Amino acid sequence: MPLWRLTRPFMPDAPLHMASHLSARARNDPGQYDDLADQWWSLHGTFAMLHWIAEARARLVPPAAAQGKVLVDVGCGGGLFAPHAARLGYRHIGVDITGSALRVAGEHGTHALRANVLALPLADGCADVVVAGEILEHVVDMRACAREACRVLRPGGTLVVDTIASTWLARVLAVSVAERIPGGAPRGLHDPALFVDRRVLRTVCAGEGVDLVFKGLRPSFISVLAWLAGRRPSARMVPTPWTSVLFQAWGTKKPS
């Protein structure tokens, strides 16, 4: 069975650029990623925290048991998970809708596919691991995205998700606060109306054969201070029992 059923590897169709009209865009407008295309791999840029979260995501991914194992990265952005996938021994397949981000991902070793994450152009059970990092809070149909992630995962494979909870605290911290501090989200990147109901996510994935374990995630304050002072290239995310803001969820798909 082919790994993907349709679509094509991403081919560059436009140069990277920075726009001067960030504030004019609506919240959660995918065009913001075009505006910020040169920021993906800047360790002190606007996507700095995504590097920290990618490292935390990788801690939940088991090393590949053999050569040729496939990791599908749903909403791969600029391919920040690529070095982790390579270190763990996986072929890294990234799916995203933003062309400029996929160009960057391809330059960093990701096999990049341009497609809507609500309808992944991949065969059932093709992936040994599926990661969906910081994507569920950006899609208009979280249930469909979660179902697709589970669909392409093989029985016995691992699903790892990180996203933002649908709570008042998350709305305050992830939008009102984070959009105003160094390393936080760019202004307008998130629409709080799309933040994720944890109970719904658990139910959807359980219906697809994946029982999820949840834990919260937050930056290590000491490491953030060291990062801000230029004493280390990145900060570290640490687990917390509170899942009411940023959280991770992971599980293994049961045999059908």
Side-chain angles (χ1 to χ4, degrees):
M1 176 180 292
L3 179 62
W4 44 86
R5 301 173 304 195
L6 47 95
T7 205
R8 61 194 184 283
F10 171 69
M11 298 297 292
D13 57 5
L16 301 184
H17 65 282
M18 279 291 289
S20 59
H21 56 277
L22 288 176
S23 60
R25 292 193 182 276
R27 281 197 169 274
N28 199 51
D29 184 340
Q32 292 183 79
Y33 296 99
D34 292 319
D35 300 336
L36 297 166
D38 66 346
Q39 294 290 298
W40 282 110
W41 285 86
S42 173
L43 296 181
H44 284 79
T46 54
F47 292 137
M49 186 176 281
L50 295 185
H51 287 263
W52 315 344
I53 297 172
E55 190 276 332
R57 188 180 313 133
R59 292 180 225 149
L60 298 176
V61 176
Q67 288 186 343
K69 297 297 183 180
V70 172
L71 182 148
V72 171
D73 190 348
V74 179
C76 67
L80 304 189
F81 202 76
H84 303 292
R87 173 177 55 81
L88 292 164
Y90 291 97
R91 183 183 183 195
H92 186 219
I93 310 297
V95 182
D96 206 287
I97 200 170
T98 303
S100 58
L102 288 169
R103 176 179 173 181
V104 176
E107 292 170 351
H108 287 82
T110 301
H111 186 100
L113 300 177
R114 191 171 190 173
N116 192 321
V117 297
L118 302 184
L120 296 174
L122 301 168
D124 296 354
C126 68
D128 300 282
V129 173
V130 175
V131 296
E134 300 307 294
I135 181 63
L136 294 183
E137 74 272 23
H138 291 289
V139 298
V140 295
D141 190 344
M142 180 274 291
R143 293 171 175 84
C145 188
R147 289 191 188 101
E148 282 292 276
C150 293
R151 178 185 65 77
V152 302
L153 184 64
R154 68 165 178 82
T158 300
L159 173 67
V160 179
V161 171
D162 48 76
T163 187
I164 302 175
S166 179
T167 65
W168 69 267
L169 183 59
R171 290 189 286 274
V172 170
L173 295 181
V175 177
S176 301
V177 175
E179 291 186 1
R180 290 171 172 79
I181 62 173
R187 292 204 174 191
L189 194 70
H190 294 110
D191 179 355
L194 299 178
F195 286 177
V196 174
D197 187 315
R198 291 156 289 175
R199 290 173 295 182
V200 172
L201 177 61
R202 185 191 299 274
T203 299
V204 169
C205 290
E208 302 298 321
V210 182
D211 291 331
L212 294 175
V213 176
F214 287 74
K215 71 176 177 183
L217 199 63
R218 67 165 179 80
S220 160
F221 302 123
I222 293 175
S223 71
V224 169
L225 291 174
W227 172 75
L228 287 171
R231 296 175 182 170
R232 56 181 298 166
S234 65
R236 180 176 174 83
M237 302 297 291
V238 295
T240 171
W242 295 282
T243 62
S244 55
V245 184
L246 178 64
F247 69 90
Q248 293 179 301
W250 69 98
T252 300
K253 187 172 183 178
K254 301 174 184 176
S256 55

